[in-house]
RNA sequence: GGGCCUGUAGCUCAGUUGGCUAGAGCGCACCCCUGAUAAGGGUGAGGUCACUGGUUCGAGCCCAGUCAGGCCCA
């Protein structure tokens, strides 16, 4: 502003500006992803006629195949943030491995069967009134009608989600996805079932299972959702059958009773139990105690009762008892074997259909080690038909598995008349009332606790005994790799061996092993219509018929006709491929005509858990078993990961994967669970941010933990994306007149500033590729971001601006920098391509000047550039340190006089830089000045700190604005440095 | 209630087998540039490492417990 020259020649500045090589590019600063991403998608779709995915499959990859297997999302609703993260991470895996030189096929899949869809479809049928038409139909015909509607429904959402996943720019075989409802898939699942049957791992048994009253079906663990529920909790006194025996157990004789103040005849003591499910009391068959706990005989408000010593104060306080007196104590083992009377059932009932069941052991105190002192009384109400622990206890002590509750949640005829036919939920209050009236209810109150609910209908689930099909966790296998071994043993063996199974992150191993140790037998049957029928038949004597060979035969039929055939064909037709004579397991005298088809379908987890067979082996052969990696949310340690492992262990003798990667869940910005209604729709995210920004965000996540989601974070990702984009743009804008193609950089001198940038790239590439390799996308993201900002934008690009703008366009120095920029841009686009797949391709095509119509050039067909051949001088670290010291020195020089120099513009300054070791002397002083952003740099071996020199009294080059010593008036009257004078062609 | 995990600047995260003054980015403050311009650059201020106790010459890191949050289960 204060230049006398500009005052005398006001337009001189403008003239010189025209002589500069200023940046220019068509690569827009504004990304406009909403419009441009779909255009890229379209272009990739046209690539080679069949599209990018097909072209990549046809490439001959040097490193062979890396098979990744996609877990199927449920074909219901739009994709949400969880899918977004999941699918991006999978896409990063696929694209990074591809660019590392592997052939990485990726078959996307959908889970199509199951309760959520059937439930939704049934609701729609009810709402539309169409359900009435179905009511008059035969079972099979009605099921077929429902299945048809379900199939249509699932198909609709497969299509919707496919579109959304493609819009996310994920690269997959969307033309040939796998659907669990496809014919071949269904056949392949039944083949897995057949394989497990062959190994003797499948059986039918009566067991308490989680039962949805609303949907009248057994539920898998994965179909449960724990929610708070308020229940009536009751403390109930079970009167002892033999008072004397109880007193004796506490070491009290007749006299002690009197001494304790007990009137004669002595009060009959009770055993006090606590339950939050009063409706299971009719099925009570035992009371469990812990053998080692201390129990007390307590007088409470006129009654004498037994409870754990530790529970006395808590229980009586809660009930606000007036009189509490501990009469005696004893240990649990002394109580075992004592008998009691059921509070409202006189004679132990027998399960319906089992008139001869042995009830002699009923109503006895038994021991169990799961009894705790934290809640209740230390005496546990035991109903073998209504609880897993209770069932096991019942088996151990010889109790019948008595379950008086029907599938619809009402009591059967074996219960007292006042209960029979009543809903269990209504019975809670009634039972409490009866107990109170008969004097058995000590205390009752409302109690809120976490309780399992049917994840779909959100209704509470009950435990109920039913006949179901199971895959045994502790059943020794027969033949093959499982001979004499159980699935649990094998699963624990594999998960315990890091060489055979890798976990990312490492703690997944302990988590999965903990789950395997405690998992029950897998109940694989469901009583619904929308699923894959279990090909079992009922024989005339009521027993079940299903062998490995018969299942295999049905599988063959399913492969041909799909599982609908189960509902359309006769048992004889179903077994058309089956030859009883050739089946050693066939029951003697089997008459196919006398069979009835079973009505159960498979747990959907069995279907998705067979995908290693139905998809990977099917499409890629045994080469794809086991596959390299399964990648899902951490909930799948119990879900898909485990339920894929078990069938594979049974059939193949090993897990279907070599490594498991898990990611966390999306929470809100306070780390709380994301409410489903509050989430963003995927469309609005595309609309506001674009897929590349969302992908860049996912790439930045510490995905192994739970992830916080908020608009603010997407905005930050957008800012960060723009920084990277602008860096690319600036490089491209300085290559407008470069036509050197892919340059040879081997002659770049090691001390050249270009050599430094190229050397830094090599460090970056090593870091990024290594991070991609170990699935640490976040590390790659941070390295790429820092490289764009610090190495390029702040340091290298700022330093080379002067030569790019002011050097003669074809000067060797400028051309070398352009060659560097070209190589860096090309390589950087490739490193970014797996994440910012649209932007990287857009920039890559701009760099190579590809015509819009030319679809053949695509960064995604290429591999990473891991090394650019260049050598950077060892002294560069010292140079960068000196640069930073100089920056700080200049900052101080900005301080107004007299304390500082009152400098403002670094180009008004020169620097004297200390060089005690002489390292810097090997570098070009002009380069050093450009790196520091000042006009001149002089080295001083003796100085101990950088010193700023005020050059404002020295002439300034009107073209480069530098104050170098060679600036003087030229023939055109302008003040120019030698370089600038040469560039404009004057003396 | 149990298993696994998380808790480090306002925010998102690094912190190797325990060892200099606990780092980075974003944000913020101040400043520069106006030839990357709805861009670019420089400098700086921010931390009782959730809490309590223990082991150690020494703890963000190891141990025990507490609190808060998440996933899975009961």
């Amino acid at each position: 502003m204060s230049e006398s020259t500009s005052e005398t020649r006001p337009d001189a500045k403008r003239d010189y500006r025209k002589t500069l090589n200023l940046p220019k590019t068509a690569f827009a600063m504004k990304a406009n992803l909403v419009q441009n991403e779909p255009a890229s998608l379209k272009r990739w779709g046209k690539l080679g006629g069949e599209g990018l995915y097909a072209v990549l499959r046809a490439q001959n990859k040097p490193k062979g195949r890396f098979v990744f297997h996609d877990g199927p999302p449920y074909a219901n609703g739009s994709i949400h943030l969880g899918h977004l993260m999941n699918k991006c991470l999978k896409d990063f895996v696929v694209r990074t491995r591809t660019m590392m030189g592997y052939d990485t096929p990726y078959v996307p899949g959908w889970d199509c069967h199951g309760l959520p869809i059937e439930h939704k479809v049934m609701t729609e049928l009810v709402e539309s009134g169409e359900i009435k038409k179905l009511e008059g139909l035969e079972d099979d015909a009605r099921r077929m009608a429902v299945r048809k509607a379900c199939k249509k429904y699932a198909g609709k959402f497969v299509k919707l989600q496919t579109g959304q996943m493609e819009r996310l720019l994920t690269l997959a075989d969307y033309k040939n996805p796998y659907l669990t409802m496809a014919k071949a898939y269904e056949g392949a699942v039944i083949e897995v079932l057949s394989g497990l049957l062959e190994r003797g791992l499948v059986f039918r048994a009566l067991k308490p299972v989680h039962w949805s009253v609303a949907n009248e079906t057994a539920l898998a663990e994965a179909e449960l959702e724990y929610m708070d529920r308020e229940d009536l909790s009751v403390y109930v006194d079970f009167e002892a059958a033999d008072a004397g025996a109880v007193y004796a157990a506490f070491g009290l004789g007749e006299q002690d009773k009197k001494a304790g103040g007990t009137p004669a005849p002595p009060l009959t003591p009770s055993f006090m139990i606590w339950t939050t499910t009063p409706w299971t009391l009719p099925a009570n068959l035992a009371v469990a105690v812990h053998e080692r706990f201390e129990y007390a005989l307590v007088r409470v408000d006129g009654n004498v009762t037994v409870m754990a010593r530790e529970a006395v104060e808590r229980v009586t306080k809660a009930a606000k008892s007036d009189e509490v007196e501990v009469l005696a104590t004893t240990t649990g083992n002394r109580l075992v074997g004592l008998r009691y009377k059921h509070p409202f059932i006189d004679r132990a009932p027998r399960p319906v259909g089992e008139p001869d069941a042995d009830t002699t052991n009923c109503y006895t105190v038994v021991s169990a080690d799961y009894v705790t002192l934290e809640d209740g009384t230390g005496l546990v109400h035991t109903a073998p038909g209504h609880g897993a622990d209770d069932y096991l206890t019942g088996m151990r002590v010889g109790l019948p598995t008595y379950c008086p509750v029907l599938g619809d949640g009402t009591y059967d005829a074996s219960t007292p008349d006042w209960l029979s036919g009543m809903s269990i939920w209504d019975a809670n209050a009634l039972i409490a009332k009866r107990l109170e009236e008969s004097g058995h209810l000590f205390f009752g109150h409302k109690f809120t606790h976490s309780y399992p609910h049917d994840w779909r209908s959100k209704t509470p689930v009950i435990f109920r005994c039913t006949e179901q099909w199971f895959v045994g966790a502790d059943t020794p296998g027969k033949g093959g790799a499982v001979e004499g071994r159980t699935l649990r043993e094998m699963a624990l063996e594999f998960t315990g061996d890091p060489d055979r199974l890798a976990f990312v992150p490492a703690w997944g191993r302990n988590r999965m092993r903990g789950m395997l140790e405690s998992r029950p037998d897998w109940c694989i049957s469901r009583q619904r219509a929308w699923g894959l029928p279990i090909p079992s038949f009922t024989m005339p004597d009521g027993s079940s018929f299903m062998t490995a060979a018969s299942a295999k035969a049905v599988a063959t039929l399913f492969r041909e006709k799909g599982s609908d055939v189960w509902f359309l064909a006769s048992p004889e037709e179903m077994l058309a491929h089956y030859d009883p004579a050739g089946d050693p397991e066939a029951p003697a005298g089997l008459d196919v005509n006398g069979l009835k088809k079973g009505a159960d379908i498979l747990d959907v987890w069995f279907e998705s858990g067979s995908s290693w067979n139905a998809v990977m082996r099917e499409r890629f052969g045994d080469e794809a078993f086991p596959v390299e990696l399964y990648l899902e949310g951490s909930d799948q340690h119990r879900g898909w990961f485990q339920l894929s492992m078990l069938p594979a262990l049974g059939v193949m003798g090993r897990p279907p994967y070599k490594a498991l990667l898990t990611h966390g869940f999306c929470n809100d910005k306070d780390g709380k669970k994301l409410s489903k209604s509050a989430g963003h729709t995927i469309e609005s995210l595309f609309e506001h941010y674009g897929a590349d920004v969302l992908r860049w965000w996912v790439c930045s996540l510490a995905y192994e933990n739970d992830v916080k989601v908020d608009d603010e974070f997407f905005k930050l990702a957008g800012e960060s994306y723009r920084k990277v984009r602008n860096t690319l743009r600036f490089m491209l804008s300085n290559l407008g007149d470069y036509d050197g193609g892919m340059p040879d950089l081997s002659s770049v001198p090691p001390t050249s500033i270009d050599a430094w940038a190229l050397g830094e790239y090599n460090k970056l590439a090593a870091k990024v590729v290594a991070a991609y390799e170990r699935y640490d996308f976040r590390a790659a993201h941070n390295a790429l971001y820092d490289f764009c900002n610090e190495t390029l934008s702040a340091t290298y690009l700022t330093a080379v601006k002067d030569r790019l703008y002011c050097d003669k366009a074809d000067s060797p120095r400028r051309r070398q920098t352009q060659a560097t920029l070209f190589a860096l841009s090309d390589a950087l686009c490739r490193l970014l391509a797996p994440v910012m797949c649209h932007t990287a391709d857009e920039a890559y095509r701009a760099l190579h000047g590809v015509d819009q119509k030319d679809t053949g050039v695509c960064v995604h067909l290429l591999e990473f550039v891991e090394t650019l051949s260049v050598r950077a001088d060892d002294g560069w670290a010292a140079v960068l340190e000196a640069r930073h010291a100089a920056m700080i020195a200049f900052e101080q020089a900005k301080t107004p006089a007299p304390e500082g120099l009152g400098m403002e513009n670094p180009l008004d300054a020169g620097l004297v830089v200390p060089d005690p070791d002489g390292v810097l002397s090997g570098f070009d002083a002009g380069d050093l000045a450009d790196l520091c952003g000042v006009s001149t740099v002089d080295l001083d071996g003796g100085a101990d700190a950088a010193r700023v020199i005020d050059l404002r009294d020295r002439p300034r080059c009107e073209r480069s604005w530098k104050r170098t010593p060679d600036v003087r008036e030229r023939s055109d009257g302008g003040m120019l440095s030698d370089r600038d004078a040469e560039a404009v062609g004057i003396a």
Side-chain angles (χ1 to χ4, degrees), chain A residues 265-277:
Chain A
L267 277 177
T268 304
S270 297
F271 299 102
M272 188 188 287
I273 61 94
W274 174 72
T275 181
T276 56
T277 52

Side-chain angles (χ1 to χ4, degrees), chain A residues 597-896:
Chain A
K597 287 179 288 181
D600 288 0
I601 59 166
L602 275 171
D603 175 13
V604 289
W605 286 106
F606 192 90
E607 297 183 49
S608 59
S610 299
S611 60
W612 50 267
N613 186 52
V615 183
M616 303 321 274
R617 289 183 77 215
E618 192 89 4
R619 300 204 188 190
F620 305 107
D622 276 346
E623 179 203 335
F625 189 94
V627 302
E628 299 294 334
L629 179 72
Y630 277 30
L631 182 167
E632 305 295 338
S634 61
D635 55 337
Q636 300 304 336
H637 282 117
R638 183 164 287 270
W640 194 54
F641 292 161
Q642 187 178 140
L643 302 178
S644 292
M645 182 192 277
L646 296 178
L649 286 174
V651 177
M652 305 293 287
R654 59 168 305 168
Y657 35 70
K658 294 180 196 161
L660 290 175
L661 186 151
T662 48
H663 57 77
F665 279 69
C666 292
N667 292 331
D668 68 15
K669 69 180 165 116
D670 300 316
K672 300 280 174 62
K673 200 178 171 128
L674 209 56
S675 78
K676 274 164 194 151
S677 53
H680 310 72
T681 69
I682 205 80
E683 276 79 13
S684 80
L685 289 177
F686 289 140
E687 197 71 16
H688 284 292
Y689 304 103
D692 268 9
V693 170
L694 297 173
R695 295 171 62 96
W696 187 239
W697 170 72
V698 173
C699 192
S700 76
L701 297 174
Y703 65 76
E704 64 274 18
N705 296 330
D706 287 333
V707 162
K708 291 181 186 173
V709 182
D710 192 67
D711 250 358
E712 188 196 337
F713 300 138
F714 294 133
K715 281 180 189 143
L716 285 173
E719 287 295 307
S720 158
Y721 164 88
R722 281 184 36 242
K723 298 273 273 182
V724 173
R725 182 180 179 87
N726 274 326
T727 302
L728 283 171
R729 177 173 181 269
F730 184 66
M731 293 200 284
L732 294 173
S733 69
N734 281 293
L735 290 166
D737 66 331
Y738 176 80
D739 56 4
M742 191 52 85
D744 174 20
L745 300 163
S746 52
S747 57
V748 172
T751 55
S752 145
I753 198 163
D754 299 319
W756 175 74
L758 293 164
E760 291 300 299
Y761 170 84
N762 286 344
K763 288 186 206 162
L764 169 79
K767 209 190 280 183
V768 169
V769 173
Y772 281 157
E773 189 134 31
R774 59 176 199 271
Y775 312 117
D776 189 353
F777 304 115
R778 181 185 164 80
H781 170 280
N782 291 348
L784 284 162
Y785 181 75
D786 288 350
F787 182 76
C788 287
N789 284 292
E790 283 162 40
T791 308
L792 293 180
S793 192
T795 310
Y796 177 67
L797 297 177
T798 301
V800 303
K801 262 187 200 178
D802 171 75
R803 67 194 60 180
L804 287 167
Y805 295 176
C806 304
D807 277 12
K808 204 172 164 196
D810 60 355
S811 79
R813 186 169 80 154
R814 180 165 182 270
R815 288 298 186 220
Q816 178 181 291
T817 292
Q818 283 187 308
T820 301
L821 287 177
F822 189 93
L824 286 174
S825 303
D826 180 279
L828 189 57
C829 282
R830 299 184 195 216
L831 286 182
L832 288 166
V835 183
M836 296 187 177
C837 41
H838 156 75
T839 304
D841 199 34
E842 181 193 9
Y844 183 83
R845 289 164 57 84
L847 177 69
H848 290 269
V850 180
D851 188 87
Q852 284 218 310
K853 284 174 197 146
D854 180 358
T855 60
V857 176
C858 178
V859 74
H860 302 297
L861 298 172
L862 309 172
E863 287 174 19
F864 294 133
V865 175
E866 296 194 45
T867 315
L868 293 169
S869 69
V870 72
R871 200 174 71 74
D873 194 275
D874 291 340
W876 275 109
V879 172
L880 270 293
E881 262 176 55
R883 175 181 183 265
H884 186 236
M887 296 283 192
I888 291 170
F890 182 75
E891 212 49 41
Q892 283 159 0
K894 281 178 173 176
T895 316

